[in-house]
Amino acid sequence: MPIESFLFDTVDGRPVEGFTLSAGGLEATLVAHGARLVRMTVPDRDGTPADVVLGFDRLADYLASDAYFGATCGRYGNRIGGAAFTLDGVRHELAVNEPPNQLHGGPEGFDRRIWDATVDEAENAVTFTHQSPDGDQGYPGTLTATTRYRLTDDGVLDIRMTATTDRQTIVNLVHHSYWNLGGHASGDLRDHRLAVRGGFTTPVGADLIPTGEVRPVDGTPFDLREGVALGEALEAVGGLGFDHNWCLEGPAGELRPVAVLEHPASGRRMELATDQPGLQVYTGGYLTEQVVGKGGQRYRRFAGLALESQRFPGSPNIGHFPSARLDPGGTYRHLMQLRFRAG
């Protein structure tokens, strides 16, 4: 089917384009604000479709929210402790938005920008491009970033992020959809199952900044390798649930399967593959019923699950973590593929 283009909304008088990709019984709706996925329609085992990502109906609600629903986060997704890092002996102070730290690129990160969009009908794809100037949110170098969404006939949403720079910098682009395979309005995640192929995590302190330790998951609620019922896992971990980075099995830089999310009641299954070294599992512990989403749905705690393939959080300040450095002449590449099935 042809790609549907439409006006999603406006901000400060500037139009925000929207696009709907259709293939293999799936539909993905994207918008230029934040290079964002706002709707993903997936059929269940009986062929009944449901929108399985959390989000809003209006751009004003995305602007008022700090949940990053569906967005491309950058220049550095996740957290940088102390909102600063040193590169080649030069200390760079970053814009603070989670005092004293920076989260997801700062108060005016890539999720807050309107990206340029290019449609590729032949590939059933949309590519969003954003240029971040030198000094933006404290980061050195002019960075040109792209996020390309492609929907295939065999049920795969392919997300490819790239970046180039004219000066040494750091980059970690992160896709931040919240998934609920029962449908975004179906309640919480306790009736899902999750498996993650990672035998280690990077523990965090009270400020959610990694301590630098790499800890095995054996014998802990963080051992998701064989798959767990999320209701049981959330009860075991307690508090706000998961908001942690897993060190993924297999070589970084190569695409490999790393996680599976299942909803037994509907038969929907989402398989994640990525070429990144880490995966942030965030179970939406900070969501409250004050967050009113699409169709007036109130998104309470654990209403959706973000699976953010990534460099490790805090890595610019922790030397033994995988590097997030990008030099002129190089290209940052990040591939994640989400395959949907029902049975």
Side-chain angles (χ1 to χ4, degrees):
M1 295 179 63
I3 297 172
E4 177 191 354
S5 300
F6 61 96
L7 176 65
F8 177 71
D9 211 331
T10 60
V11 57
D12 297 329
R14 184 177 174 186
V16 176
E17 297 175 282
F19 308 89
T20 297
L21 308 177
S22 302
L26 309 177
E27 285 190 352
T29 298
L30 316 162
V31 300
H33 184 267
R36 191 183 306 265
L37 177 68
V38 298
R39 182 171 61 88
M40 186 79 203
T41 303
V42 180
D44 65 9
R45 65 166 62 91
D46 298 318
T48 303
D51 178 5
V52 299
V53 294
L54 278 57
F56 298 113
D57 293 317
R58 302 182 309 140
L59 186 58
D61 294 322
Y62 283 106
L63 292 171
S65 172
D66 61 359
Y68 303 93
F69 286 147
T72 300
C73 299
R75 182 178 302 195
Y76 197 93
N78 218 308
R79 294 175 173 86
I80 296 179
F85 67 94
T86 299
L87 188 63
D88 292 341
V90 178
R91 181 175 173 84
H92 299 276
E93 302 281 349
L94 304 176
V96 174
N97 61 331
E98 193 180 71
N101 309 313
Q102 188 189 84
L103 172 64
H104 291 321
E108 295 297 326
F110 290 2
D111 63 294
R112 298 277 164 176
R113 310 302 173 88
I114 300 176
W115 298 48
D116 297 325
T118 304
V119 171
D120 186 339
E121 292 275 3
E123 291 292 321
N124 199 35
V126 177
T127 299
F128 297 102
T129 304
H130 172 63
Q131 187 171 91
S132 170
D134 181 39
D136 186 13
Q137 304 299 289
Y139 292 94
T142 299
L143 190 86
T144 301
T146 71
T147 298
R148 177 180 183 262
Y149 294 90
R150 178 173 179 254
L151 191 61
T152 73
D153 289 332
D154 58 350
V156 173
L157 181 64
D158 182 285
I159 306 173
R160 296 172 187 251
M161 293 168 271
T162 71
T164 57
T165 185
D166 64 357
R167 181 182 170 194
Q168 291 87 348
T169 192
I170 60 170
V171 61
N172 178 41
L173 303 181
V174 168
H175 177 76
H176 207 290
S177 283
Y178 292 68
W179 304 96
N180 186 319
L181 297 184
H184 80 97
S186 67
D188 64 30
L189 299 162
R190 297 176 194 274
D191 57 352
H192 286 57
R193 290 186 60 83
L194 176 66
V196 176
R197 295 184 178 179
F200 296 84
T201 61
T202 51
V204 296
D207 57 359
L208 298 179
I209 300 300
T211 63
E213 182 185 1
V214 177
R215 183 182 298 170
V217 300
D218 304 80
T220 76
F222 297 89
D223 190 352
L224 309 181
R225 288 172 291 187
E226 299 301 320
V228 298
L230 272 174
E232 296 175 8
L234 290 170
E235 183 176 351
V237 76
L240 298 173
F242 295 118
D243 191 6
H244 299 80
N245 172 67
W246 270 253
C247 309
L248 296 172
E249 297 174 0
E254 294 184 13
L255 183 68
R256 73 270 192 219
V258 299
V260 177
L261 182 66
E262 297 176 285
H263 183 243
S266 68
R268 293 189 187 93
R269 173 184 172 101
M270 184 179 78
E271 302 166 358
L272 170 63
T274 187
D275 60 359
Q276 295 300 290
L279 181 70
Q280 189 83 9
V281 177
Y282 172 49
T283 49
Y286 291 98
L287 297 176
T288 72
E289 291 192 356
Q290 280 67 52
V291 181
V292 181
K294 290 179 280 191
Q297 175 65 29
R298 292 187 179 272
Y299 293 143
R300 62 179 183 266
R301 181 175 291 176
F302 309 140
L305 171 73
L307 296 173
E308 308 158 54
S309 51
Q310 61 180 359
R311 302 294 200 271
F312 297 176
S315 64
N317 294 319
I318 302 174
H320 57 274
F321 280 5
S323 175
R325 179 184 179 118
L326 179 64
D327 292 317
T331 301
Y332 164 88
R333 302 184 191 278
H334 180 167
L335 171 60
M336 60 186 301
Q337 292 183 338
L338 299 161
R339 182 179 297 276
F340 297 90
R341 306 180 190 272

